[in-house]
Amino acid sequence: MPPVVRRTLSPIETPRALRALGVWTPADAPAGSLHPGDVGWLLRHADATVHLWVDARGAGRPDPRLDPRHDAAAPVAVGFLDGRVLRVTAAPDADLGALAADARELLVPGNDWSDGLPVPGWRPDPKESRLVLSWTPEPVTTRAEPVGEPDAADRVLVHRAAFPGSKFALKHWEAMRASPAGHLAVETLVRTPAGDPAAAATGWFAGTGRCGLLEPVGTHPDHRGHGYGRDAVRGACAALADRGASAVAVLTPASDEAAVALYTSAGFTVLREYRDWKRPDRG
């Protein structure tokens, strides 16, 4: 089995992981669990931890696709724990068996799901599936406006209202935008005619000719049913297309009918359905 070494990165050390994920992002939709934007959204937390797996045999040889100045082992996968789920995206030619063997150190009892990395002996989750939807660039008319610092508090307000129990605060927004992934983010905000913040979307750029990602999107519960969420989504998609994204993807639980309806109304089409890998129940 090829030697695989896992390195644990602090937020400031994540640029290499972001570059690798950008290289591995195809034109139509993310190939694995993670997009550079998933790491970008994680970096709202000051204590965020990202894992980078490298091929130890390549140590001392640069990978010009990622950074010709960086002399190190070639990245083969990026991942992080999202609650109790290990989310991973691997290079197209990665040895998934070697990755899964090393990842078992992270998959302690309680961390019972793997998103993007098959684990021997585990099975697809029978209870929950996710949809990958994709938007193809087209002319867009929208009420959405870019989010700047003066809008940050309202953008945070929308998120907290849209996701009950969320602890997202202005300090998290500031950390996200100041992180190594901050330059990849585009954000839109839609207001009511009275000026109240109604919906917001964050999009993430992966590079010219590569698929962008929406994460997260939310509509204030007081303003649902008026097309504000659709406008926020389409505004973020248009901003990503203007930067050179070939498409924009979004992932959502198949059971979330409201979210699926929102993205469909915004012009997204379903590309595929998938399930996390789950540890077999004991007994």
Side-chain angles (χ1 to χ4, degrees):
M1 186 175 293
V4 174
V5 175
R6 173 168 32 94
R7 296 173 179 167
T8 300
L9 310 179
S10 66
I12 199 172
E13 296 172 320
T14 55
R16 195 160 178 238
L18 291 165
R19 287 191 295 269
L21 288 172
V23 168
W24 302 333
T25 299
D28 58 346
S33 170
L34 297 181
H35 180 277
D38 292 297
V39 174
W41 178 237
L42 177 72
L43 294 180
R44 69 193 186 277
H45 298 300
D47 60 350
T49 296
V50 175
H51 301 288
L52 177 71
W53 284 269
V54 300
D55 183 346
R57 298 172 305 175
R61 295 203 301 269
D63 185 343
R65 300 172 304 164
L66 303 175
D67 187 347
R69 301 164 299 174
H70 196 93
D71 186 12
V76 294
V78 175
F80 62 77
L81 281 166
D82 187 357
R84 297 186 296 167
V85 182
L86 178 63
R87 302 182 60 191
V88 177
T89 285
D93 57 351
D95 184 331
L96 298 182
L99 290 171
D102 181 81
R104 286 189 179 277
E105 292 187 14
L106 303 173
L107 293 169
V108 298
N111 296 342
D112 295 335
W113 289 267
S114 172
D115 180 2
L117 179 63
V119 178
W122 291 26
R123 297 289 182 268
D125 188 340
K127 296 181 180 180
E128 183 70 270
S129 65
R130 290 190 178 90
L131 299 178
V132 179
L133 300 96
S134 182
W135 177 87
T136 301
E138 62 180 4
V140 168
T141 300
T142 176
R143 294 170 285 184
E145 297 291 339
V147 174
E149 286 192 19
D151 309 299
D154 284 342
R155 193 267 171 271
V156 170
L157 183 153
V158 169
H159 185 90
R160 290 176 68 101
F163 299 97
S166 170
K167 297 180 180 179
F168 189 54
L170 186 59
K171 67 179 182 179
H172 299 121
W173 183 87
E174 292 170 342
M176 178 187 78
R177 295 306 300 260
S179 77
H183 69 290
L184 301 176
V186 300
E187 293 191 283
T188 57
L189 181 68
V190 180
R191 298 182 181 275
T192 68
D196 297 325
T202 300
W204 298 92
F205 188 60
T208 301
R210 303 188 185 279
C211 184
L213 180 77
L214 294 182
E215 171 70 336
V217 174
T219 302
H220 195 294
D222 292 346
H223 303 298
R224 288 173 180 163
H226 301 285
Y228 296 129
R230 180 177 62 247
D231 275 7
V233 165
R234 289 178 65 80
C237 289
L240 288 168
D242 286 346
R243 288 188 64 173
S246 53
V248 180
V250 67
L251 284 68
T252 190
S255 60
D256 191 341
E257 296 179 358
V260 174
L262 165 63
Y263 298 125
T264 301
S265 72
F268 283 73
T269 57
V270 176
L271 288 185
R272 63 179 181 271
E273 183 175 4
Y274 76 98
R275 296 175 184 269
D276 291 349
W277 294 85
K278 186 176 185 299
R279 188 192 308 273
D281 293 332
R282 292 175 183 154

